[in-house]
Amino acid sequence: MASQWYSLVSQKLFLAQTLLGQLEPGSRFGTGETLTEAEKALNREAATQGAVELMLRGRRLLLVLIANLYQHRNAQPESLSQLQALTGPENQDVQRLTELAAQPGSWWSHLDQLEHSQGHPAATRKTVSDENIIAVAAEPGPDRTPSGLMKTLEALRHFAEDLNEQHSEW
């Protein structure tokens, strides 16, 4: 049963990678001559948000996979704290994820930032006039570049592969 959950996690991550691959320069996605720049931007945003949602779903399914590995067949934990309550704080896989969650630059932390960003409306901006302009700031928020998202995706995939290998040896 655990291998079925691993397959589902892998599927979601593969689909996210496919969407991210369409955002790379030189890809055929959104390069049709009939598309306006606004339509191309809309396609890029849809692919980005779709990839993020698939990665978030993959992370949630990873929690279900871990619960399954520890004989909690019908459990559907939606958070790390729910998984910890289910399997216990001494669980090594939960401890590894807890360490990742506490690490600011980790893939888990990046997904937390993406989830927050995608689940909340954009912050309202102060209007700018010649009198109050001081400096130009970059758009705040998590890295949503294709390469940044791909890095997080690969780290999540690597974690899932290691987990699957480790538990299939037992």
Side-chain angles (χ1 to χ4, degrees), residues 50-161:
V52 168
E53 288 297 332
L54 285 165
M55 290 166 58
L56 292 170
R57 174 63 60 105
R59 179 176 71 167
R60 191 170 321 125
L61 290 171
L62 180 70
L63 299 176
V64 175
L65 167 64
I66 293 171
N68 225 279
L69 290 170
Y70 289 94
Q71 308 305 314
H72 299 281
R73 301 269 183 236
N74 296 321
Q76 297 281 317
E78 293 188 18
S79 67
L80 188 53
S81 59
Q82 287 180 2
L83 180 64
Q84 187 174 25
L86 190 64
T87 62
E90 67 284 346
N91 182 299
Q92 288 182 343
D93 295 321
V94 172
Q95 288 176 352
R96 287 174 52 202
L97 289 175
T98 302
E99 289 170 8
L100 282 169
Q103 202 173 30
S106 71
W107 61 265
W108 187 279
S109 180
H110 188 214
L111 286 173
D112 279 346
Q113 293 169 5
L114 290 166
E115 184 173 37
H116 183 269
S117 165
Q118 218 157 277
H120 291 82
T124 56
R125 295 178 174 207
K126 183 178 179 181
T127 57
V128 177
S129 68
D130 289 338
E131 295 85 41
N132 69 2
I133 195 163
I134 296 173
V136 176
E139 183 72 27
D143 182 1
R144 290 174 22 116
T145 63
S147 61
L149 294 173
M150 192 63 80
K151 181 181 172 185
T152 296
L153 175 74
E154 289 301 324
L156 173 53
R157 176 182 290 132
H158 182 68
F159 186 92
E161 287 171 355

Side-chain angles (χ1 to χ4, degrees), residues 33-53:
E33 292 178 33
T34 59
L35 293 179
T36 65
E37 287 303 314
E39 290 168 327
K40 289 178 187 178
L42 180 61
N43 285 343
R44 282 190 302 274
E45 184 62 22
T48 299
Q49 286 197 28
V52 168
E53 288 297 332

Side-chain angles (χ1 to χ4, degrees), residues 14-25:
F14 175 77
L15 293 172
Q17 180 179 11
T18 301
L19 284 174
L20 290 174
Q22 295 175 353
L23 296 173
E24 292 298 320

